[in-house]
């Protein structure tokens, strides 16, 4: 708090890039370990870390003890988070990491579709143009993956696309609880604790939970990766939320877009894979369109 705004912003941006960089590196490193085919467990570990950290922050720092929203409000949030987390990480069994990152960035498309059908909303020509560019960029990425990735399977695109749809519904459902007076920590903790219970049950029945535990016993490297990966996501998200809180939406959008670009570059540098200029063109179209759309929305809100 005593530091000047430029120094605060610089430190927070470095924190976002550093912790999200570690998170994304570990995610791809874990999936690159020979024989590891438990992509759904990456989502389980993230939910576990967020549950533990949000509980500790809520009790020890914020000192919250009351629950405002009724428990009946959480099944929808649990379903959305379960679908978003499980499907996006399960997709890594069928598509490569950069393709997952790009597809996961595209909540704009399902959001526009839902708003057009349900609320009869008409969007500006710029937003329609951005949506078209995003779709075309996704086609380029999928085409490159189809050609160059031996393990590619279209079901991976289906999984990650469904996860994006679930991820687009989740913030709207959470917003309703915030209007009831629930805090961010309350909604975060209860959403994740219920999701963790369901995921523990489903991954146990599917054999993924036991399979990953047995696999981890044979790999010290995997155990180390898992220990760090489980908690680093919560730190990264918390730092990003501080950027939003202190410096506003425009700064947060710019930082998020830069962070996603960094993720794609590091993925190709640290985990060599077949390269195509379709990846470059697709990433530019998707990330550029998302940035433009976000800046237009922020400008309209200010007006």
């Amino acid at each position: 708090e005593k530091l000047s705004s430029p120094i605060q912003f610089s430190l927070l941006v470095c924190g976002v890039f550093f912790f999200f960089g570690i998170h994304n590196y570990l995610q791809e490193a874990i999936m690159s370990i020979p024989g590891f085919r438990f992509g759904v467990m990456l989502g389980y570990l993230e939910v576990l870390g967020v549950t533990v950290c949000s509980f500790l922050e809520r009790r020890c720092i914020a000192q919250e003890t009351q629950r405002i929203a009724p428990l009946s409000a959480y099944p929808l949030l649990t379903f959305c988070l379960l679908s978003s987390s499980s499907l996006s990480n399960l997709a890594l069994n069928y598509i490569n990491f950069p393709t997952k990152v790009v597809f996961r960035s595209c909540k704009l498309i399902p959001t526009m579709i839902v708003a057009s059908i349900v609320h009869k909303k008409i969007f500006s020509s710029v937003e329609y143009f951005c949506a078209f560019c995003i779709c075309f960029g996704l086609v380029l990425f999928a085409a490159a993956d189809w050609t160059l990735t031996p393990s590619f399977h279209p079901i991976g695109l289906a999984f990650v696309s469904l996860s994006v749809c679930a991820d687009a519904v989740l913030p709207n459902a959470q917003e309703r609880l915030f209007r009831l007076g629930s805090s961010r920590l309350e909604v975060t903790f209860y959403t994740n604790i219920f999701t963790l219970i369901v995921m523990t049950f489903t991954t146990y029945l599917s054999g993924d939970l036991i399979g990953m535990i047995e696999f981890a016993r044979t790999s010290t490297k995997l155990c180390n990766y898992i220990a760090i990966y489980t908690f680093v996501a919560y730190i990264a998200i918390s730092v990003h939320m501080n950027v939003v809180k202190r410096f506003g939406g425009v700064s947060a959008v710019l930082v998020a877009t830069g962070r996603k670009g960094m993720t794609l570059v590091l993925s190709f540098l640290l985990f060599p894979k077949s390269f195509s200029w379709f990846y470059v063109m697709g990433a530019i179209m998707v990330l550029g369109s998302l940035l433009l759309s976000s800046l237009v929305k922020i400008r309209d809100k200010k007006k």
Side-chain angles (χ1 to χ4, degrees):
E1 295 291 345
K2 296 179 180 180
L3 299 175
S4 64
S5 292
I7 295 178
Q8 287 186 28
F9 183 73
S10 299
L11 291 176
L12 288 173
V13 170
C14 290
V16 169
F17 277 64
F18 178 72
F19 289 111
F20 270 110
I22 292 175
H23 173 267
N24 295 331
Y25 169 81
L26 290 175
Q27 193 171 64
E28 192 161 6
I30 291 172
M31 291 301 301
S32 299
I33 294 177
F36 187 88
R37 299 291 294 174
F38 307 101
V40 69
M41 294 306 299
L42 296 179
Y44 179 88
L45 294 173
E46 288 180 355
V47 171
L48 174 62
V50 172
T51 301
V52 174
C53 292
S54 61
F55 173 80
L56 294 176
E57 184 179 354
R58 184 168 183 258
R59 289 297 177 90
C60 301
I61 299 176
Q63 296 184 344
E64 292 182 11
T65 57
Q66 299 293 325
R67 175 176 51 82
I68 297 176
L71 293 179
S72 59
Y74 286 99
L76 176 60
L77 274 73
T78 300
F79 175 77
C80 290
L81 181 58
L82 178 67
S83 302
S84 173
S85 180
S86 300
L87 292 174
S88 66
N89 288 291
L90 186 61
L92 287 174
N93 291 332
Y94 306 97
I95 58 178
N96 69 23
F97 186 76
T99 302
K100 179 217 167 184
V101 170
V102 170
F103 270 75
R104 285 282 295 167
S105 302
C106 300
K107 283 188 272 188
L108 175 66
I109 294 175
T111 301
M112 289 181 65
I113 292 174
V114 171
S116 299
I117 296 175
V118 177
H119 303 295
K120 309 297 182 183
K121 184 176 180 180
I122 304 298
F123 294 91
S124 67
S125 57
V126 174
E127 289 175 301
Y128 283 119
F129 174 74
C130 290
F132 172 79
C133 290
I134 290 172
C135 290
F136 191 71
L138 294 178
V139 170
L140 291 177
F141 244 85
D145 233 16
W146 188 299
T147 306
L148 300 176
T149 306
S151 61
F152 175 84
H153 194 286
I155 195 172
L157 299 181
F159 283 156
V160 74
S161 298
L162 289 173
S163 78
V164 171
C165 294
D167 209 25
V169 175
L170 184 61
N172 295 308
Q174 290 175 328
E175 184 71 24
R176 185 169 64 88
L177 300 191
F178 294 147
R179 288 199 295 267
L180 294 176
S182 298
S183 69
R184 172 187 63 85
L185 288 173
E186 176 192 329
V187 174
T188 301
F189 171 69
Y190 281 100
T191 302
N192 280 273
I193 187 64
F194 291 135
T195 304
L196 181 65
I197 293 171
V198 175
M199 290 187 77
T200 301
F201 181 72
T202 56
T203 54
Y204 177 78
L205 290 181
S206 67
D208 287 319
L209 179 59
I210 302 300
M212 192 193 73
I213 293 174
E214 293 294 333
F215 191 90
R217 289 179 177 177
T218 66
S219 175
T220 304
K221 180 180 10 179
L222 178 59
C223 292
N224 294 333
Y225 284 168
I226 286 174
I228 301 172
Y229 179 84
T230 301
F231 300 105
V232 75
Y234 188 76
I235 301 174
I237 293 169
S238 298
V239 176
H240 178 75
M241 292 180 67
N242 267 289
V243 174
V244 178
K245 180 180 178 180
R246 295 172 184 270
F247 299 99
V250 175
S251 298
V253 167
L254 293 172
V255 172
T257 304
R259 189 258 302 173
K260 292 170 185 174
M262 176 203 70
T263 297
L264 296 176
V265 172
L266 289 180
S267 177
F268 281 98
L269 291 178
L270 299 179
F271 300 92
K273 50 181 70 69
S274 300
F275 178 78
S276 169
W277 283 104
F278 280 3
Y279 284 133
V280 177
M281 292 186 290
I284 291 174
M285 294 191 71
V286 171
L287 298 182
S289 299
L290 289 172
L291 177 61
L292 177 60
S293 176
S294 300
L295 293 177
V296 168
K297 288 181 179 179
I298 292 171
R299 183 200 64 186
D300 293 341
K301 285 183 179 181
K302 286 183 177 181
K303 287 183 178 180

